[in-house]
Amino acid sequence: MADAETDTLKRTPLYDLHVSLGAKMVAFAGYEMPVQYPAGVLKEHLHTREKAGLFDVSHMGQAYLKTTEAPLGSQEAHEKIAAAIETLVPGEIRKLKQGGMRYTTLLSEEGGVLDDLMVTRLYLDDLQGMLLLVVNAATKNEDFALIEERLEGVASLEVATDRSLIAIQGPKAAAVVNRLMPGAIDQPFMTVRPHMWPAADNSAYIVLSRCGYTGEDGFEISVPDSHAVLLAKALLAAPEVEPVGLGARDSLRLEAGLCLYGHDLTPEISPVEGNIAFAVGKRRREEGGFPGAARIQKEFAEGPKRLRVGLKPEGRAPAREGAEIQSTDGRVIGAVTSGGFGPTAGGPVAMGYVEAGFAETGTKVNLIVRGKPLPAVVADMPFVPHNYYRG
Amino acid sequence: MSVKYSEDHEWVKAEGDVCTIGVSAHAAEQLGDVVFVELPEVGKTFAKGDEMAVVESVKAASDVYAPISGDVVEVNSAIVDEPAKVNEDPQGAAWFVKIKPSNASELDALMDETAYKEFAGQS
């Protein structure tokens, strides 16, 4: 394939490894990424839930945000950088412990979600006043431009163009990572720890975070490009680990009830409507001070007009993104934003937005699939229980 | 007679006055793991090119088009119960429907094995 589109696509440092593993490569967010390996989406999905899957997520954006108002390495510096980022996101960043991370959202002035992201307070004492941001691939350029513009004069943004991101997810992930990075097995959920790896003279600074996008225990590992292949091969050498592509990444996150930005969250949708209220800190809810606070506080007080809910179609036919949601008397009340077959759930699962009056679990609705009403019920998410480390 | 293929990746095998139809091994591989199959009712009439069945993989939904015109005389409900059969034996046990052709000359317009292999390799 040498058409104009693929010529402009970027490749991650793991590209050659994917090809050598037999991956089917597709265009995704400007990158050539593995959608599946020879095992196929179904087996890759089930393997991740049973053992451990390795995912290349190097297309995602990583950046360091540093305060310019205080010297790095002090509590004051942390408070300065936290205050700065809190003008853009509604998450509780100030009270993060060293090495703590939060899922939150970049907001428009109207309180819509411009992106969802991870904000991490780095662990080491001398890095206080510095946050690591991990944002979606498709939105990273806009995100970084917005952050730079809004925080000019109080913070500087350094995009980590030389770092890859490798996720390892599944019940065996901690044991595997612990063999390479001792101590990982006891690392709390939603924290980062620094490692120098491998422990020889050729070592690289690794930021090991215990989080993920599958509902399983696991890690996302920020590694210099120079060591990305070495690390991926070391992880794949473990008998529990198989490579997993974007196809299974999507079915895993769907079963886990997690949002895909651009589909389940958009600039029109607020975090309250998106049913990700946990992205808004408790203190922040009361104090406001983030873009669109008036709308978001009103939605907390009065309830949103629409809400993201889980949907379980009856029978085996999947309902996919875009399917209309109707009340049982035939009125359009929303639309499916993600949907497909859940290999672990053993049937079709979906999520979408409905008018608030239809958001109660157990509410019967119809999903319009190929012109016909497909009966479904509003269901609790996740569809498959989360299996996070709660040490 | 031998198996013929449509440009939409269906295969057709004529035996007596009935034609068995399914999706090609190439199509099954491209689809990935099949998780849902919807078949037409027996007795339904299709014109060549009509949407006849639906097959969904974990990744996406695809229509199966009638490669020739005719009436459905039998459907393979085993693949509705076990969609994974479509990946296991797409050109054998996992046939979709049997139809009685209304215009047998339409078969002549389909590709033979060699032509289809070339076609599928390029698509």
Side-chain angles (χ1 to χ4, degrees):
Chain A
M1 297 226 295
D3 55 49
E5 194 192 352
T6 51
D7 282 349
T8 61
L9 291 172
K10 285 179 270 196
R11 293 175 175 181
T12 76
L14 300 186
Y15 176 87
D16 289 339
L17 180 61
H18 298 315
V19 171
S20 73
L21 291 167
K24 187 190 282 185
M25 305 301 288
V26 298
F28 181 82
Y31 285 79
E32 261 183 283
M33 298 300 288
V35 66
Q36 65 175 80
Y37 297 86
V41 178
L42 200 66
K43 288 201 179 79
E44 291 168 27
H45 177 115
L46 296 171
H47 185 87
T48 304
R49 293 252 186 265
E50 194 189 324
K51 292 180 177 168
L54 181 126
F55 306 73
D56 180 11
V57 287
S58 303
H59 55 314
M60 295 183 75
Q62 304 181 65
Y64 297 109
L65 187 67
K66 296 178 198 175
T67 182
T68 52
E69 297 182 297
L72 293 185
S74 64
Q75 175 62 22
E76 186 202 357
H78 171 69
E79 280 168 21
K80 291 285 189 194
I81 198 64
I85 192 79
E86 283 191 0
T87 63
L88 301 180
V89 304
E92 172 63 76
I93 308 303
R94 198 174 79 195
K95 291 184 188 167
L96 276 179
K97 291 180 184 154
Q98 286 184 216
M101 63 197 298
R102 278 276 186 282
Y103 171 81
T104 191
T105 59
L106 269 181
L107 293 171
S108 72
E109 291 306 322
E110 293 75 39
V113 178
L114 297 175
D115 198 9
D116 58 347
L117 75 161
M118 287 287 190
V119 178
T120 298
R121 177 177 182 178
L122 290 169
Y123 183 73
L124 297 171
D125 288 343
D126 58 1
L127 299 181
Q128 298 309 302
M130 194 164 154
L131 303 171
L132 172 64
L133 311 179
V134 178
V135 306
N136 281 298
T139 44
K140 63 184 176 184
N141 294 335
E142 293 85 347
D143 290 359
F144 292 153
L146 176 90
I147 293 166
E148 271 193 319
E149 186 204 318
R150 296 290 181 81
L151 301 185
E152 200 185 346
V154 299
S156 71
L157 188 80
E158 183 194 314
V159 180
T161 50
D162 58 347
R163 293 188 80 83
S164 296
L165 195 62
I166 296 171
I168 176 164
Q169 299 277 295
K172 303 290 186 197
V176 171
V177 173
N178 200 63
R179 280 177 229 147
L180 304 183
M181 297 167 200
I185 203 156
D186 299 317
Q187 184 179 324
F189 182 54
M190 290 297 276
T191 67
V192 301
R193 293 292 182 268
H195 285 265
M196 294 306 289
W197 182 88
D201 48 358
N202 171 37
S203 72
Y205 170 62
I206 305 271
V207 181
L208 180 66
S209 54
R210 195 159 204 171
C211 65
Y213 192 47
T214 60
E216 297 298 324
D217 184 21
F219 298 84
E220 288 184 359
I221 310 174
S222 173
V223 53
D225 289 346
S226 56
H227 286 64
V229 171
L230 193 66
L231 177 61
K233 284 184 171 171
L235 292 167
L236 286 168
E240 302 95 324
V241 183
E242 295 293 338
V244 178
L246 292 176
R249 184 170 160 83
D250 191 53
S251 56
L252 287 159
R253 70 89 198 167
L254 173 61
E255 282 185 341
L258 302 172
C259 292
L260 175 60
Y261 189 76
H263 302 258
D264 309 305
L265 294 173
T266 69
E268 285 73 47
I269 291 164
S270 77
V272 185
E273 293 173 324
N275 215 343
I276 50 166
F278 55 87
V280 187
K282 214 172 195 180
R283 170 180 62 86
R284 309 296 318 280
R285 250 179 242 201
E286 285 152 27
E287 291 178 4
F290 48 84
R295 168 190 176 183
I296 289 170
Q297 288 170 319
K298 185 164 180 273
E299 287 177 351
F300 271 123
E302 298 171 11
K305 288 194 174 64
R306 58 181 170 176
L307 199 63
R308 183 177 63 95
V309 296
L311 297 160
K312 262 202 146 154
E314 286 176 17
R316 292 188 64 85
R320 303 208 183 249
E321 181 179 4
E324 209 169 69
I325 307 173
Q326 293 186 356
S327 60
T328 49
D329 57 8
R331 191 167 64 79
V332 178
I333 55 164
V336 171
T337 51
S338 282
F341 182 83
T344 306
V349 290
M351 59 174 84
Y353 284 82
V354 294
E355 291 176 10
F358 293 85
E360 193 87 26
T361 298
T363 304
K364 288 182 180 350
V365 296
N366 286 319
L367 311 178
I368 308 305
V369 175
R370 291 181 283 275
K372 286 180 284 189
L374 175 71
V377 288
V378 173
D380 287 331
M381 289 186 287
F383 297 105
V384 171
H386 288 161
N387 186 28
Y388 298 138
Y389 178 67
R390 298 293 181 194
Chain B
M1 77 165 253
S2 60
V3 177
K4 293 242 177 171
Y5 295 86
S6 74
E7 292 189 356
D8 297 313
H9 305 283
E10 290 89 17
W11 57 265
V12 185
K13 194 175 177 188
E15 285 161 305
D17 61 349
V18 170
C19 290
T20 307
I21 295 168
V23 298
S24 72
H26 170 78
E29 202 206 313
Q30 292 296 311
L31 279 167
D33 306 294
V34 173
V35 296
F36 174 75
V37 176
E38 189 177 271
L39 296 176
E41 284 167 24
V42 171
K44 208 155 178 216
T45 302
F46 291 100
K48 181 182 165 140
D50 284 353
E51 292 165 14
M52 188 171 67
V54 176
V55 55
E56 299 214 19
S57 68
V58 182
K59 282 179 285 183
S62 305
D63 290 313
V64 178
Y65 301 97
I68 52 173
S69 310
D71 299 329
V72 177
V73 293
E74 197 180 338
V75 299
N76 186 6
S77 55
I79 60 169
V80 176
D81 299 335
E82 269 187 80
K85 280 183 191 284
V86 176
N87 297 108
E88 288 158 16
D89 193 10
Q91 302 207 190
W95 57 275
F96 276 52
V97 300
K98 293 189 182 188
I99 74 172
K100 200 170 183 172
S102 53
N103 179 4
S105 69
E106 284 172 353
L107 281 166
D108 300 336
L110 298 174
M111 290 174 271
D112 64 14
E113 183 96 34
T114 312
Y116 176 69
K117 278 206 170 133
E118 196 177 319
F119 171 80
Q122 288 171 345
S123 70

